[in-house]
Each structure stands twice: as C-alpha cells, then as structure tokens.
Amino acid sequence: MDVYKRLLILAKSQIPRFLLAAVCMAIVGGSTAAAAFLVKPALDDIFLNRKETSLYWIPAAVIIVYLVKGAANYGQHVLMNYIGNRIVADLRSVLYRNIQIQSLSFFTKNPTGTLISRVLNDVSVIYITVSNSVTSLFKDTFTLIALIGVVFYRDWKLALIAMTIFPLAIYPIVLIGRKVRKTSTKTQITMGSLTDLLQETIAGSRIVKAFGMESYEAMRFNKENERLFRLLIKNVMTKSLSTPLMEFLAGFGVAAIMFYGGFQVVRGSTTPGTFFSFLTALLMMYEPAKRLTNLNSEIQQGIAAATRIFSVIDTVPEIRNRPNAVTLKPITQSIELCDVSFAYEATRVLKHINLHIRAGEIVAFVGTSGGGKTTLVNLIPRFYDVTGGAVLIDGHDIRDVTLESLIAQIGIVTQQTFLFNDTVRNNIAYGDIDTSEERIIATAKAAHAHGFIMNLPKGYDTVIGELGVKLSGGERQRISIARALLKNAPILILDEATSSLDTESEMEVQAALENLMKGRTTLVIAHRLSTVRHADRIVVLMKGEIVEEGSHEDLISQQGEYFRLHQMQFREEDPETQSEPQPPPSAEAQA
Ligand code: ADP
Ligand code: MG
C-alpha cells in the first residue's frame, strides 16, 4: 500500500500530462466503439436499402474515425512514455545519490552486481509498468466501456447472453498467459547464468588455457545452452497454442451468437446491420479484455521492483553527521585511540586498543596479515565506527565532528590503487578538480610521476581507460600518491602502499612517499619491514591487540614479535642466506 502511495508521490508532477493522456485514451476508446457502431448504417443503408447519400457519408465517417483514433493514439503513446521515462530518470538519480552516500559496510553487504541491477533493471521494470500497464489499465478500460455501450445499445438481450459466455472464452487464454510467464522467468534465469558463464570464461581465458580446460568449459556452456533451448521451445509450444485456441473458442462463440442472432434476423425482429455491428463490437472487446486480465501480474512485477528500489533509497547511511556536529580544525595535538574495540558483524577484530599519536609523528603498524591493521586505520576517517571506546583527534571524539571536516584532514593511499577512466590530470586532481596546472605538475614531480606521465601518448591528457593495462602497478601507485599529495591533508594513511611493487619501482614510490610524509601525522602499514624502519614508532598488532610498541632498535633488542617478523623477512629477501639450510624461526629467535 505504502509503495503505491510513494509511486504516486513520484508521479505527482506528471499529473497534468497524465490527464491529457487519459483524454487521448478516452478518445481512442470512443473511436474504436464508433467504428463498430458504423457497421450498422453501412450494412443496412448502403447494402440493404441502397441509400445513395449513405454511400458518401459513411466512408467519410470511417476515415474521420480512424484519423481521430490515430491522432489520439499517438498523443497518449508519446505522453505515457514521456511520463514513464521521466519517473525512471528521477528514480535513478535519487537511487544513485543514495547509494553514493552509503557507508563502506553497505557496499560489503550489497554486491556491485545487485546495486547495478537496482539502478538499471528494476528501474526499467517500473518504466514498463508505467508505459504499458498503466496505459492498458486506462485505455483498455475506456475501450471496453465504449464497446459494451455499443453492444447493449444494439441488442441488450443478446448482450446479456454474450456477457456470460465471454469470460468462459477468456479464461483458457489467461491460463496459457500464466504458463508462458512462468517459463519466461525460467528463461531469464538461464539466460543470466549463460551470461555469467560467458563473462567468466572470457575474462578468465588465460586460466582456462593454462589448465587446458577448453573442452570442460565448452561442456559447461553447452549444458546451459541446451537448457535454454529446451525452455524456449517449451515456451513456443505453449504460446503457439494461444491463437488457435482463441480462434476456436471465438468461432464457437460466434457460431452460437450467429445462430441466435440469425434467427432474429430471419424472423425479422432485427436487421443484419444491427446484428453485425453487435458482433463486431463483441469481437473487438476480446483484445483489451485479454490484456486487462493479465494486467495484475504485470503491475505486481512493477510493485516488486519499486519495493526493492525503495528499500535501497530508504537505507540510512550508518555513518552520518550527528545533529550538532562541529567542524574539526586542522590537527595540532594528537590522534588518540581510547580503549577501542571493533567487530565486523559478530567477529571481534580489534580488542581494547590504546594508542596516542602525537601530531607530526610517523607511526608504523606491522604484524601478520589479518591482524587488524587495515581495520584500525579505517577507523580514523570513519569508514567504520568503533564498536567500543573512542577515537579522538585533538580531544574531539570524531563522531562529534562533521564528516566533511574530518575527511578533509585525511589523505589515503591504499594497496588497491583505483584510477578513474578519466585523464591523468583529473585523476591527480580528483579531490580538487579546479586546481592549477602548475600545482598538478609540481605534485606529480613530488610523487615521482611526472617523468613517466610525459612519456604517455598525450601526457597529462591521456585517458586511463585508453591505455588499457599499460600502466604498471608502480605507475598507478605513483598517480594515486600524487592524488593524496595534492589533497595536502595533515593526516596521512598509507595502507600497504608499496606492497605489490618490484624493488625498483618501490624505491621510486618510497621516495615519493617520503615527500608525502614530510610534516604530516602519518599512519603507515607496510608489508616490507625495511620501509618502516625510519618511523618514529612501530606498533606490532597481532590478532587485534597491540603486542609491542617502540622504535626499530628497541624492538629488535627486545627480541619479541617484531624481531621474529624481521628475521623471517630478512631470510626471504636475502637470496644468499635463503640458499643455505635454515633452522626453524623459533629456534633462531631464542638464540
Ligand atoms: P590486516 O590489514 O592486518 O591484514 P584486516 O584489518 O584487513 O587485517 O582484517 C582483520 C580481520 O578482519 C581479518 O580476519 C579479516 O578477515 C576481517 N575483515 C576485514 N574486513 C572485513 C569486512 N569488511 N567484513 C568482515 N570481516 C572483515
Ligand atoms: Mg590490510
């Protein structure tokens, strides 16, 4: 019920247009009935009574009726499709805006494919509902009413009989319609899995080849393909039944009515014109009646799509400004984590973390993967909110400040570099799109990116997508470092910003990062311990708890977890020691 109301509210601005369309539909209904009505004078006056005047005005009237009908049909069609498209465009825009403001947790809960389907497919279903179903609801109802008028006007007794037989003739067709819809749904699903399969094997063609699985994949594909074929044939068989059955039933009905009507004509109590006008109107009722009986399920599909769309629109972002949030000023003192705990759904990932980071300090986080490093730094820009304790910047709980002022202070470079399909220039200037050319170039130089950018086909105007995969991981990384550098935020978060690079590009990126860290409060997560050596402080995070904290030298001399991690990596990275047999790490740590 609520959904209907909300759809009406959405359509409110379209009411004048809809009223105009409804007038057109009424005219369509009226002229359809008029055509049936004209059968009587045509038959009785021209063919039976041979009136010459009728010979002129009736064909003229037929032309006018069809002209008017055509014009009205054109009008309502354009108007209804305008309304449908307008509602859809508005809905899509609201939907898109609401998806954009959601918190990160929303995107982990809703897969990309589902969201895209909401914005594109579900919204299209609404369009079809408006332009087809709502049109049919009004146009076919008007037409039916006008035709029923003609039928009763011509012969009310015969009309009463026909009205009782009519539903019986419609019913089998309705049943077939339902069956066809059911197989159509199955066809859609199979088509979907065929698409998935296709996408997967084309995208993964290298893996398919590497494992020699071409014939296996062909078999998988064929299985679905054949299933689709069988469904389509089944659909055709049911659908094809519809017309012959309809004709047979109609023939049956026509024969019965012809017998009764003919009897009246023979007895002279009615004219052939009256009878055929009646019959024409009755036959014309068939199509609109059939459409109206199928309407309910179509509208239900639209309502289901609307419900799904509204549920996304109604999702309130988990993380949003509190009513009296204040503006956070640039950091001058510290970032503090006070007894911070955090859990995704049920599993606790951070447990009672206490940490005090002075403004301007560089703090490195190390530890085994899955220890909670990324989770910890994600709490600072409020990608997630703490589930226990608090994060304070200069003494302000970050949940009490505006998100905009918080985000403005933080620059982030992550392991997964994401570049938009736009020019290199716009990718660098992403946070401040109107910035000057000089600043972009200066930033790119500081990020050690200027050199390779100048070697791109169109320099800063090169569009990323046009390059395909031609940018190396290190180059992409340096562009995203330039992006963070340009933002010039006082707090910097580097989450494994160099982990996927080879040593040479890592050195370039490392130099870029050192430029980036100058004078900023930095939280850095690095896979390679050599890169965190110069941090002011190193925090070792294991299973969501801080197990050690101190400078590189302190931690090495303590011979604890950091020392152990360090030993392990040292061995991995040094090929000479690697070739020699090694005692197990625990033995070495004790030594
Ligand atoms: P690290 O960065 O130290 O490797 P993370 O902070 O990424 O560790 O992950 C810590 C733990 O939280 C892991 O066990 C991981 O599986 C889990 N985790 C990470 N992200 C999510 C998420 N979005 N939903 C649920 N669990 C997550
Ligand atoms: Mg991580």
Side-chain angles (χ1 to χ4, degrees):
M1 259 307 134
D2 196 34
V3 180
Y4 291 94
K5 234 189 244 163
R6 293 183 65 174
L7 281 172
L8 274 180
I9 291 169
L10 263 173
K12 213 165 145 194
S13 63
Q14 301 303 319
I15 287 176
R17 240 179 227 104
F18 175 72
L19 290 179
L20 198 60
V23 170
C24 288
M25 292 178 198
I27 293 173
V28 171
S31 41
T32 306
F37 190 84
L38 279 175
V39 169
K40 178 183 157 67
L43 220 65
D44 286 351
D45 294 351
I46 300 177
F47 294 101
L48 286 180
N49 301 335
R50 305 170 191 218
K51 268 199 230 163
E52 213 182 311
T53 44
S54 302
L55 191 57
Y56 298 110
W57 79 262
I58 292 174
V62 168
I63 291 172
I64 291 169
V65 162
Y66 279 99
L67 190 71
V68 169
K69 185 178 170 178
N73 234 338
Y74 173 79
Q76 67 86 14
H77 194 257
V78 170
L79 283 166
M80 289 308 286
N81 280 279
Y82 180 98
I83 295 172
N85 275 313
R86 188 65 261 161
I87 292 177
V88 158
D90 291 347
L91 208 51
R92 211 175 261 151
S93 148
V94 173
L95 200 53
Y96 179 74
R97 234 175 307 148
N98 207 61
I99 289 175
Q100 287 264 292
I101 60 168
Q102 292 302 323
S103 317
L104 277 186
S105 56
F106 175 84
F107 296 97
T108 24
K109 271 180 235 150
N110 298 282
T112 318
T114 312
L115 292 177
I116 290 175
S117 171
R118 290 287 162 283
V119 180
L120 298 180
N121 301 347
D122 282 344
V123 165
S124 304
V125 172
I126 302 245
Y127 168 72
I128 291 168
T129 307
V130 173
S131 59
N132 288 357
S133 311
V134 176
T135 302
S136 161
L137 181 63
F138 286 87
K139 196 175 85 170
D140 291 335
T141 307
F142 286 141
T143 306
L144 267 187
I145 290 171
L147 287 172
I148 287 174
V150 173
V151 163
F152 273 86
Y153 180 79
R154 288 299 180 218
D155 189 336
W156 67 270
K157 270 186 271 175
L158 197 51
L160 281 180
I161 299 171
M163 289 302 120
T164 45
I165 303 177
F166 203 72
L168 294 179
I170 281 282
Y171 189 64
I173 310 299
V174 174
L175 284 188
I176 291 177
R178 260 180 222 161
K179 190 133 196 248
V180 167
R181 219 163 15 243
K182 232 187 240 164
T183 38
S184 296
T185 315
K186 275 192 210 157
T187 312
Q188 289 296 325
I189 294 170
T190 311
M191 196 76 100
S193 46
L194 207 59
T195 316
D196 286 344
L197 217 56
L198 198 61
Q199 193 264 339
E200 194 176 283
T201 43
I202 290 175
S205 56
R206 272 172 65 159
I207 304 295
V208 174
K209 281 193 192 312
F211 286 83
M213 294 302 270
E214 289 94 339
S215 50
Y216 171 76
E217 291 300 340
M219 190 195 76
R220 276 211 310 167
F221 187 84
N222 228 16
K223 210 168 122 196
E224 287 300 308
N225 198 18
E226 286 301 317
R227 208 156 84 138
L228 183 63
F229 172 77
R230 283 195 300 275
L231 277 173
L232 286 174
I233 293 301
K234 206 168 151 190
N235 216 353
V236 165
M237 278 171 32
T238 324
K239 245 188 194 160
S240 308
L241 203 59
S242 176
T243 310
L245 189 68
M246 184 184 99
E247 284 185 350
F248 173 69
L249 288 171
F252 208 77
V254 169
I257 287 166
M258 207 177 265
F259 178 76
Y260 177 80
F263 185 65
Q264 304 279 326
V265 174
V266 169
R267 253 191 12 194
S269 59
T270 187
T271 70
T274 307
F275 174 69
F276 276 103
S277 172
F278 173 91
L279 194 61
T280 308
L282 192 69
L283 292 179
M284 280 179 162
M285 282 166 66
Y286 191 80
E287 276 300 319
K290 195 176 87 175
R291 272 199 299 269
L292 282 175
T293 49
N294 281 335
L295 203 62
N296 187 41
S297 72
E298 270 177 36
I299 290 182
Q300 288 313 317
Q301 282 176 10
I303 294 301
T307 310
R308 287 194 293 269
I309 291 170
F310 286 136
S311 85
V312 174
I313 291 181
D314 291 343
T315 311
V316 179
E318 262 170 46
I319 292 168
R320 55 183 188 280
N321 284 341
R322 281 187 177 167
N324 36 17
V326 297
T327 304
L328 182 67
K329 302 211 177 57
I331 180 170
T332 53
Q333 295 151 27
S334 64
I335 301 173
E336 278 173 277
L337 279 75
C338 304
D339 196 33
V340 164
S341 295
F342 181 80
Y344 294 104
E345 309 295 325
T347 44
R348 278 233 283 176
V349 176
L350 294 176
K351 297 160 202 162
H352 306 288
I353 302 280
N354 283 292
L355 193 64
H356 185 279
I357 300 169
R358 278 172 286 114
E361 194 179 12
I362 296 172
V363 177
F365 294 87
V366 301
T368 44
S369 103
K373 303 179 295 294
T374 298
T375 306
L376 190 149
V377 296
N378 277 347
L379 296 177
I380 313 284
R382 286 189 75 194
F383 286 163
Y384 297 91
D385 267 343
V386 295
T387 44
V391 177
L392 312 180
I393 293 182
D394 284 354
H396 293 284
D397 189 321
I398 56 172
R399 286 168 296 185
D400 292 330
V401 303
T402 64
L403 269 172
E404 301 73 35
S405 67
L406 175 69
I407 295 294
Q409 296 219 25
I410 303 171
I412 302 173
V413 183
T414 59
Q415 181 177 9
Q416 297 92 6
T417 53
F418 188 85
L419 301 182
F420 293 93
N421 187 17
D422 201 341
T423 57
V424 170
R425 171 185 291 104
N426 285 350
N427 266 289
I428 293 177
Y430 191 65
D432 182 9
I433 216 81
D434 298 317
T435 195
S436 70
E437 184 76 18
E438 293 77 47
R439 209 170 143 233
I440 291 173
I441 292 176
T443 310
K445 280 183 178 155
H448 291 241
H450 181 71
F452 78 81
I453 291 173
M454 292 314 284
N455 282 333
L456 294 175
K458 294 184 206 153
Y460 283 86
D461 292 317
T462 312
V463 173
I464 298 290
E466 289 167 3
L467 287 172
V469 286
K470 272 180 246 152
L471 281 182
S472 75
E475 289 163 346
R476 293 176 156 267
Q477 198 85 60
R478 278 176 273 161
I479 291 178
S480 62
I481 289 170
R483 182 194 285 164
L485 198 57
L486 189 112
K487 192 175 174 189
N488 198 18
I491 299 170
L492 187 63
I493 293 171
L494 305 173
D495 187 355
E496 310 217 10
T498 60
S499 57
S500 58
L501 310 181
D502 56 68
T503 319
E504 194 183 320
S505 51
E506 189 183 351
M507 269 156 66
E508 285 269 1
V509 173
Q510 194 61 41
L513 285 177
E514 266 154 34
N515 272 334
L516 193 53
M517 287 192 269
K518 270 178 207 149
R520 293 173 217 273
T521 313
T522 306
L523 286 77
V524 53
I525 301 173
H527 182 68
R528 295 205 183 91
L529 299 182
S530 55
T531 60
V532 303
R533 235 188 174 119
H534 306 295
D536 297 318
R537 191 159 33 130
I538 294 167
V539 173
V540 184
L541 207 58
M542 294 272 185
K543 298 201 176 94
E545 284 170 300
I546 296 179
V547 294
E548 273 171 7
E549 211 180 319
S551 70
H552 174 76
E553 289 73 24
D554 289 348
L555 293 180
I556 289 292
S557 62
Q558 273 178 27
Q559 303 214 343
E561 288 295 340
Y562 181 77
F563 177 77
R564 215 164 56 80
L565 287 167
H566 197 264
Q567 292 295 312
M568 269 164 23
Q569 262 194 15
F570 180 66
R571 217 173 306 129
E572 270 171 30
E573 280 169 14
D574 193 337
E576 272 176 45
T577 37
Q578 203 159 40
S579 56
E580 290 166 18
Q582 288 292 325
S586 56
E588 178 153 287
Q590 283 157 13

